[in-house]
């Protein structure tokens, strides 16, 4: 049995080429063509060069062979991929440019060569050239998913959200569940830009568009709620923020302070305490407990908050709960007790600081900043509040 982990890296990358070569040789052998012997010997020569890590010499042979049989073009694609993965982008570009320049290149292979060259340019960071090639692919095949997806990546990189939306809309009808949330995030980006410029109505329009493409967009709801709060419409903001529980309850801790503020501005302390108690029935979450305790302290006094946290802590002893309890006790008691509690609280704070506030559900990336586009795996909306201890 071959242990692949012991093979050198370049040979592992060359395995697809070797597999294609073997297939071509055996296919030719079966066909019984008169060129069989010459064809096979040339391929074996190329294979030999490849195994000796002499890709340049191997390529010279494959270039000659592709002219007599364009079905061997897969070896070029596989070699191009090897060069690209090895970081030898210039060599990959040379292969694919060489193919494009051949007048005999059959039309049926043209788009594939353009795509491969586009990947090379992306690898080299030449986005303009890559964009031109992917657009050329679309002229021949307007529904090319690969060309559209790569154009979207380029526009995302360039933060050209309008172009990203245009390209993504071509993929929407085929896969609304995957593409809808992506388009929604682009509209949220536009909404943020409009809001930063002070154009509230445009910001609201974009946020509504975001919700049209993804009704579960927490980001769009937060944008709309923030704008409502900024304009003093706390009822509207409260209604919007309460929708987040149904959209994605994991984001609730992020908006609790805003929800509390909306109730406070509307003088709805009783309704707020009822709402928090109901929320607690549906979700076990420490940030909710923390919010509830702060609200109790604000409206019913410190003892009520202390009783509430102590009761919760008895049922579920946790670091955050302990911290909350200490914060209430830090202002009570004699000097020695306060000093001791203050020291304990500092220690707990240090431990809490070592926890990240957010984590990507796709790749596990941890951060203290909320990114709507994960900087590690580049997924939209996968970074969520870190669910430590009892999860939401
Ligand atoms: Zn990620």
């Amino acid at each position: 049995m071959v242990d692949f982990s012991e093979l050198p890296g370049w040979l592992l990358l060359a395995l697809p080429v070797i597999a294609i070569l073997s297939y071509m040789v055996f296919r030719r052998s079966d066909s019984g063509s008169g060129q069989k012997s010459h064809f096979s010997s040339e391929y074996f020569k190329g294979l030999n060069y490849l195994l000796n890590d002499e890709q340049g010499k191997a390529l010279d042979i494959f270039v000659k062979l592709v002219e007599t049989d364009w079905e061997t073009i897969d070896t070029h694609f596989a070699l191009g991929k090897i060069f690209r993965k090895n970081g030898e982008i210039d060599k990959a570009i040379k292969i694919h440019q060489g193919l494009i320049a051949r007048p005999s290149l059959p039309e049926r292979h043209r788009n594939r060569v353009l795509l491969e060259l586009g990947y090379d340019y992306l690898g080299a960071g030449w986005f303009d050239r890559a964009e031109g090639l992917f657009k050329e692919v679309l002229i021949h095949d307007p529904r090319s998913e690969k060309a559209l997806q790569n154009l979207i990546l380029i526009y995302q990189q360039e933060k050209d959200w309008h172009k990203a939306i245009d390209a993504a809309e071509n993929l929407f009808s085929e896969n609304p569940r995957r593409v809808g949330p992506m388009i929604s995030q682009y509209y949220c980006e536009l909404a943020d830009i409009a809001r930063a410029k002070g154009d509230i109505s445009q910001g609201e329009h974009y946020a509504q568009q975001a919700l049209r493409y993804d009704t579960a967009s927490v980001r769009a709801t937060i944008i709309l709620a923030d704008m409502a709060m900024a304009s003093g419409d706390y009822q509207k903001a409260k209604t919007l923020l309460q929708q987040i529980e149904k959209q994605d309850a994991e984001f609730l801790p992020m908006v609790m302070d805003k929800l509390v503020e909306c109730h406070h501005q509307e003088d709805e302390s009783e309704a707020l305490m009822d709402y928090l108690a109901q929320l607690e029935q549906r979700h076990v979450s420490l940030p909710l407990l923390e919010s509830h305790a702060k609200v109790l302290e604000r409206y019913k006094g410190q003892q009520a908050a202390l009783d509430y946290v102590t009761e919760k802590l008895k049922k579920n002893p946790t670091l955050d709960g302990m911290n909350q309890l200490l914060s209430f006790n830090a202002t009570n008691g004699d000097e020695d007790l306060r000093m001791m509690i203050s020291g304990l609280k500092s220690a707990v704070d240090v431990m809490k600081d070592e926890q990240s506030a957010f984590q990507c559900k796709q790749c596990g990336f941890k951060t203290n900043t909320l990114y709507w586009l994960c900087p590690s795996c580049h997924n939209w909306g996968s970074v969520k509040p870190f669910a430590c201890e009892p999860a939401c």
Side-chain angles (χ1 to χ4, degrees):
M1 189 115 170
V2 178
D3 183 355
F4 286 95
S5 65
E6 287 180 2
L7 293 176
W10 69 266
L11 186 55
L12 276 176
L13 289 170
L15 283 175
V17 183
I18 293 167
I20 292 166
L21 284 173
S22 308
Y23 169 74
M24 294 304 300
V25 169
F26 286 115
R27 197 185 60 150
R28 286 283 164 159
S29 301
D30 286 348
S31 72
S33 113
Q35 292 178 321
K36 183 180 82 177
S37 167
H38 170 70
F39 193 88
S40 300
S41 73
E42 283 302 292
Y43 259 107
F44 279 122
K45 214 193 271 178
L47 180 61
N48 204 31
Y49 281 133
L50 206 56
L51 289 169
N52 286 324
D53 204 10
E54 293 179 279
Q55 290 103 332
K57 286 183 182 171
L59 184 60
D60 287 342
I61 287 180
F62 301 144
V63 167
K64 280 181 202 154
L65 287 171
V66 82
E67 282 288 7
T68 54
D69 184 354
W70 277 99
E71 295 315 306
T72 66
I73 197 170
D74 280 344
T75 54
H76 290 249
F77 294 143
L79 263 179
K81 215 170 268 179
I82 292 172
F83 285 134
R84 213 162 46 226
K85 282 191 177 171
N86 275 340
E88 297 174 279
I89 308 279
D90 51 334
K91 288 183 183 168
I93 290 174
K94 212 170 156 189
I95 291 178
H96 300 127
Q97 279 181 337
L99 290 172
I100 282 285
R102 283 173 194 277
S104 56
L105 174 69
E107 205 50 41
R108 65 182 183 282
H109 293 308
R110 191 173 178 76
N111 266 5
R112 175 79 195 275
V113 181
L114 287 171
L115 280 172
E116 293 293 334
L117 190 54
Y119 301 151
D120 299 338
Y121 286 155
L122 276 185
W126 297 336
F127 290 170
D128 284 0
R129 291 190 196 183
E131 182 187 354
L133 289 177
F134 294 134
K135 280 182 173 173
E136 201 177 326
V137 171
L138 291 177
I139 293 171
H140 304 286
D141 177 9
R143 311 298 298 172
S144 167
E145 202 176 320
K146 284 179 180 164
L148 285 166
Q149 274 174 344
N150 280 285
L151 278 173
I152 290 167
L153 283 181
I154 291 171
Y155 298 142
Q156 236 179 242
Q157 190 78 18
E158 294 174 338
K159 298 188 188 302
D160 192 332
W161 308 115
H162 286 292
K163 282 188 182 173
I165 290 168
D166 287 346
E169 272 175 344
N170 287 304
L171 294 173
F172 179 68
S173 59
E174 305 252 324
N175 197 344
R177 287 183 68 181
R178 189 180 65 82
V179 181
M182 220 161 72
I183 297 178
S184 175
Q185 292 283 355
Y186 301 152
Y187 273 114
C188 285
E189 291 287 340
L190 289 172
D192 275 342
I193 293 168
R195 206 157 48 127
K197 287 180 183 166
D199 192 342
I200 302 302
S201 70
Q202 189 68 276
E204 200 166 311
H205 166 72
Y206 286 138
Q208 293 291 2
Q209 285 291 92
L211 281 170
R212 198 165 72 82
Y213 279 98
D214 180 14
T215 51
S217 172
V218 170
R219 185 181 179 186
T221 304
I222 293 175
I223 291 172
L224 287 169
D226 282 350
M227 287 193 291
M229 283 177 83
S231 67
D233 191 345
Y234 294 100
Q235 277 300 341
K236 183 181 174 185
K238 186 185 76 180
T239 307
L240 282 162
L241 292 169
Q242 284 177 344
Q243 286 171 13
I244 288 172
E245 184 189 0
K246 283 204 177 115
Q247 288 182 312
D248 188 343
E250 284 182 84
F251 281 96
L252 267 178
M254 256 187 68
V255 296
M256 284 318 296
D257 286 351
K258 291 176 190 192
L259 258 170
V260 170
E261 183 59 18
C262 288
H263 281 89
H264 181 67
Q265 290 290 339
E266 295 291 301
D267 207 14
E268 295 178 341
S269 56
E270 288 300 325
L272 173 61
M273 284 183 280
D274 285 350
Y275 173 69
L276 288 173
Q278 287 167 22
L279 217 50
E280 246 167 51
Q281 305 270 316
R282 298 192 288 269
H283 308 280
V284 181
S285 161
L286 283 164
L288 291 185
L289 180 148
E290 208 170 327
S291 291
H292 200 163
K294 281 184 196 163
V295 167
L296 283 171
E297 187 189 21
R298 187 173 188 171
Y299 295 112
K300 295 209 163 167
Q302 203 176 59
Q303 192 56 49
L306 195 57
D307 292 346
Y308 166 79
V309 177
T310 309
E311 189 58 34
K312 292 285 171 187
L313 213 51
K314 269 190 215 162
K315 288 183 189 159
N316 191 6
T318 63
L319 193 62
D320 277 357
M322 178 70 77
N323 200 34
Q324 189 69 49
L325 188 66
L326 290 172
S327 70
F328 288 122
N329 271 335
T331 52
N332 288 338
D334 62 26
E335 186 65 21
D336 286 348
L337 184 61
R338 278 210 304 275
M339 289 282 285
M340 193 181 81
I341 287 174
S342 171
L344 262 174
K345 188 167 166 24
S346 301
V348 175
D349 280 341
V350 168
M351 288 165 80
K352 275 190 74 181
D353 283 348
E354 286 169 5
Q355 292 176 347
S356 302
F358 303 98
Q359 184 174 28
C360 176
K361 295 274 172 177
Q362 293 288 332
C363 70
F365 172 76
K366 289 178 184 172
T367 170
N368 282 317
T369 308
L370 173 61
Y371 294 101
W372 294 107
L373 177 65
C374 175
S376 174
C377 69
H378 307 290
N379 271 298
W380 284 102
S382 55
V383 177
K384 295 186 177 185
F386 191 64
C388 57
E389 302 176 71
C392 279

